[in-house]
Amino acid sequence: MPAVAEMLKASEAAVVSRVSLRDVNRVIDEHILPEAFISLDNGRHVLAGACSLITFYFESARRLTSEERLFTIRTAEPRLARARTLPWSALLLEDWTVHHAFLTIDLMPFMRGASERLDDLAAAREVVTSSADILGGTPVIRGTRVPVHDVAASVSAGNSTERILETWPSITVGAPGDRQGVDGASPLR
């Protein structure tokens, strides 16, 4: 699992946060996330632990005002900054409740969700590889020449696992850690 303090690419942060890449760019551009949780060096990156705050910001939009959501993020900021050195397991033992006047917000469900999706990201990283020698560096399923984008597009189009496996017979559905093929946390899930 990526560490709390790992900086994720904006596209990875979008997956972990369950929002669009556009929304991740919005939280960066509009300073919704504190500057300590982003990096603009060599591309846009977001602190893995901050993905929970991105999810909170967008999922709570129907119930909370922008001011309430920003207050919650600013209140959680020092807690998350201190927790950067902790493993996710310890982070999930912390109290993530924010109190403001009559309003109490529990960020723990967002922390747990981000933790679970970071596990999925780590599993996907094990399945995907990229090398200049294979399709010019296009990310492919490890042990194959099958582009990840093509498989993801098939999944998005609603193709069944069986249909995808017929299309690319070099892909297998296997146990986690299977070096050739796609494990349970893959796009074929």
Side-chain angles (χ1 to χ4, degrees), residues 1-17 21 24 28 33 37-52 54 84 88 114-115 117-119 121-122 125:
M1 163 184 278
V4 174
E6 180 178 342
M7 298 302 281
L8 303 177
K9 296 176 191 172
S11 57
E12 293 173 323
V15 170
V16 172
S17 301
L21 180 57
V24 170
I28 294 170
L33 274 185
F37 297 161
I38 62 169
S39 171
L40 302 177
D41 297 335
N42 200 19
R44 291 173 165 233
H45 294 82
V46 175
L47 183 77
C51 290
S52 56
I54 296 172
R84 287 177 96 153
W88 271 97
S115 174
R117 290 184 297 278
L118 280 165
D119 283 340
L121 177 63
R125 285 176 173 170

Side-chain angles (χ1 to χ4, degrees), residues 11-178:
S11 57
E12 293 173 323
V15 170
V16 172
S17 301
R18 285 191 326 201
V19 299
S20 68
L21 180 57
R22 180 176 174 223
D23 286 338
V24 170
N25 286 321
R26 179 177 165 210
V27 299
I28 294 170
D29 294 339
E30 295 179 14
H31 305 287
I32 293 166
L33 274 185
E35 287 186 23
F37 297 161
I38 62 169
S39 171
L40 302 177
D41 297 335
N42 200 19
R44 291 173 165 233
H45 294 82
V46 175
L47 183 77
C51 290
S52 56
L53 300 178
I54 296 172
T55 304
F56 162 75
Y57 186 81
F58 289 103
E59 285 189 9
S60 63
R62 289 186 179 163
R63 295 192 173 129
L64 300 173
T65 66
S66 178
E67 292 80 17
E68 292 165 333
R69 291 178 287 146
L70 289 173
F71 173 83
T72 302
I73 290 171
R74 298 298 175 257
T75 302
E77 176 183 3
R79 293 183 205 174
L80 189 55
R82 282 191 306 271
R84 287 177 96 153
T85 59
L86 298 175
W88 271 97
S89 57
L91 187 80
L92 295 175
L93 297 175
E94 298 283 317
D95 178 17
W96 291 100
T97 307
V98 174
H99 301 281
H100 179 61
F102 61 88
L103 186 62
T104 300
I105 298 170
D106 183 8
L107 292 173
M108 184 56 81
F110 302 100
M111 300 305 253
R112 275 194 210 103
S115 174
E116 291 167 6
R117 290 184 297 278
L118 280 165
D119 283 340
D120 291 346
L121 177 63
R125 285 176 173 170
E126 289 293 316
V127 174
V128 176
T129 188
S130 179
S131 168
D133 298 338
I134 302 171
L135 299 179
T138 300
V140 296
I141 304 294
R142 186 176 305 280
T144 74
R145 295 178 59 82
V146 178
V148 172
H149 180 270
D150 292 353
V151 176
S154 291
V155 171
S156 293
N159 291 326
S160 69
T161 301
E162 293 77 23
R163 172 80 175 135
I164 293 169
L165 294 174
E166 286 172 12
T167 304
W168 294 289
S170 60
I171 298 176
T172 60
V173 177
D178 185 359

